[in-house]
Amino acid sequence: ECYRPEGNIFKYDSCYENIVRAIKVDNHVRIFDPQCQSGKNIKKLVECLDNPTIETYGLDDERFGIYEAKEIINRTIIGTLRGSKISNEAFDILFLKPRPQIELEYSLNNSIKDSNEKNMLKQTYKFLKPQGLLIYTVPFYRMYNDMWYFIAKNFSNVSVISHDTTDKLITIYGIKEHNKNYSETLNELLNLEYGSLERYSSIEYHVYSNPENEVQLFRGSVIDIHELTDIINNDGLYNEFYKTFDDSKQKKDTSPL
């Protein structure tokens, strides 16, 4: 067993060991999970990577689970991708395991349907740094042709492994860069059969951190009390005002009557 959906909660097991077997991480790499739920999935991934210097970032719009995630993930924010403010090209690894649900997006003729899996892939691509690693776990039957096209065109060294689950989960790896031979890669991906996929990737992925690269912007579309405290503590104008007020108070306290 790997992990299987029970509502919006997932169980995890040995599939994470299968996933990380192909990954070698440098110190202080940053991993972003844009639908982190309670944080248990990214926690298990990091445990299997066995590198205590990894920095984890999480976003979710489910407020109940996110407070549990705050105890697990280094930095978490609440909200939707559309309203959140997050630095582009800031993360070394993009860890995607979207909720298996359909989200309707209406066009003028009310005929467009986009899956959550597709939206998460296309909306979070910009947060991954060039040469960063995508780890994307979805049911095989939820991968549509345009999603394979997006991966083939925007990622190199693409490999796909399967997990022994009833919902036919697969994990897709890729290095973020324009793929000049994307037509060849796309042809291979479109002809994949779940039963012929291996459990481990034949490609080894090395992820290197960039000390000069910073996550300067990481703010959710919903401001909770924890994030508000961080904003105040890191706001130079507020700190300057508080210092001025404190200096004035001390001067008053030491002045003679």
Side-chain angles (χ1 to χ4, degrees):
E1 180 181 85
C2 182
Y3 62 83
R4 297 177 181 176
E6 294 180 0
N8 284 335
I9 300 174
F10 291 81
K11 293 182 178 180
Y12 47 77
D13 202 339
S14 60
C15 75
Y16 285 92
E17 297 176 2
N18 295 6
I19 292 172
V20 304
R21 185 171 178 173
I23 304 171
K24 305 297 181 183
V25 296
D26 194 8
N27 290 333
H28 305 292
V29 298
R30 298 183 179 96
I31 302 179
F32 179 38
D33 182 351
Q35 203 164 65
C36 65
Q37 302 181 60
S38 65
K40 293 180 179 179
N41 295 308
I42 193 171
K43 177 185 177 182
K44 188 64 178 178
L45 182 77
V46 171
E47 287 176 349
C48 291
L49 286 171
D50 193 26
N51 188 324
T53 66
I54 292 174
E55 297 178 32
T56 52
Y57 294 74
L59 165 70
D60 208 291
D61 58 357
E62 294 290 341
R63 302 190 191 186
F64 178 77
I66 199 69
Y67 291 112
E68 185 177 348
K70 285 182 179 294
E71 303 297 324
I72 298 174
I73 301 175
N74 295 127
R75 291 183 64 182
T76 56
I77 51 178
I78 303 174
T80 59
L81 282 167
R82 181 168 296 180
S84 299
K85 306 295 183 182
I86 303 171
S87 297
N88 291 339
E89 300 184 350
F91 300 98
D92 306 294
I93 297 176
L94 180 61
F95 176 52
L96 291 181
K97 193 179 65 55
R99 292 187 180 93
Q101 65 190 37
I102 299 296
E103 293 183 350
L104 301 179
E105 291 194 354
Y106 293 99
S107 65
L108 294 176
N109 59 7
N110 295 332
S111 63
I112 293 180
K113 289 184 178 181
D114 272 342
S115 68
N116 184 43
E117 294 90 345
K118 183 192 299 185
N119 286 332
M120 290 294 294
L121 174 63
K122 293 185 176 181
Q123 291 177 19
T124 59
Y125 165 81
K126 61 184 178 182
F127 303 131
L128 184 62
K129 74 175 186 181
Q131 300 298 314
L133 175 64
L134 170 71
I135 305 174
Y136 183 39
T137 300
V138 291
F140 181 72
Y141 59 87
R142 298 292 294 168
M143 286 297 298
Y144 304 114
N145 288 356
D146 59 338
M147 295 165 69
W148 287 122
Y149 174 81
F150 184 86
I151 287 175
K153 191 169 185 178
N154 295 290
F155 293 90
S156 66
N157 296 326
V158 177
S159 64
V160 185
I161 65 172
S162 66
H163 304 290
D164 187 16
T165 59
T166 56
D167 44 357
K168 296 186 176 181
L169 284 172
I170 60 172
T171 292
I172 303 166
Y173 305 86
I175 299 297
K176 182 181 177 180
E177 66 177 351
H178 178 69
N179 186 359
K180 296 179 180 179
N181 300 317
Y182 75 88
S183 58
E184 181 180 337
T185 302
L186 178 60
N187 184 59
E188 294 175 359
L189 294 175
L190 291 178
N191 287 285
L192 287 177
E193 296 182 2
Y194 178 80
S196 63
L197 293 174
E198 300 292 334
R199 295 290 186 265
Y200 304 101
S201 173
S202 59
I203 301 175
E204 192 170 82
Y205 298 91
H206 292 264
V207 184
Y208 302 98
S209 64
N210 182 359
E212 298 179 358
N213 195 25
E214 296 181 0
V215 184
Q216 297 181 347
L217 196 58
F218 195 68
R219 184 175 301 174
S221 60
V222 177
I223 305 297
D224 69 330
I225 187 63
H226 300 88
E227 190 171 352
L228 182 61
T229 301
D230 290 338
I231 292 173
I232 291 175
N233 289 337
N234 294 300
D235 185 84
L237 184 61
Y238 175 83
N239 290 334
E240 186 64 28
F241 168 77
Y242 185 82
K243 182 178 182 298
T244 302
F245 177 80
D246 191 50
D247 290 346
S248 176
K249 182 176 182 299
Q250 290 181 8
K251 182 177 180 181
K252 180 180 179 181
D253 290 343
T254 58
S255 299
L257 293 175

